[in-house]
Amino acid sequence: MSHTNHAKDLVRMANQIAVHFATYPHEEAVTETATHIRKFWDPRMRAGLFAHVQSGGEADLHEVARGAVGVLQTR
């Protein structure tokens, strides 16, 4: 799988999780999304998502997913 396709898959999955929690109050949605990614994603998947964001891909993420990435990167 190419890096681009892998990044797209990670973004798609992060956005699906974010949409699931988007009906929660914003901070809770961000926290729950971050918790889900931390608990269930392999560290390589998280690193791939972080790399995508750091390379300018932040706009591809749902606002809840962007917040979750920020939370995960500060821990």
Side-chain angles (χ1 to χ4, degrees):
M1 179 182 297
S2 75
H3 173 72
T4 303
N5 286 339
H6 183 65
K8 284 181 182 179
D9 287 341
L10 295 172
V11 166
R12 179 183 49 78
M13 290 186 289
N15 285 340
Q16 286 175 332
I17 297 163
V19 166
H20 174 78
F21 290 114
T23 59
Y24 290 31
H26 182 75
E27 288 303 315
E28 186 178 356
V30 167
T31 299
E32 292 295 330
T33 301
T35 298
H36 180 92
I37 291 171
R38 183 180 45 77
K39 281 184 174 180
F40 299 108
W41 283 29
D42 182 277
R44 293 170 292 184
M45 293 170 69
R46 291 192 302 268
L49 183 61
F50 299 159
H52 179 73
V53 169
Q54 290 170 350
S55 70
E58 185 174 296
D60 298 335
L61 291 172
H62 185 282
E63 67 176 302
V64 170
R66 275 195 306 271
V69 168
V71 167
L72 291 165
Q73 289 181 318
T74 61
R75 289 186 180 171

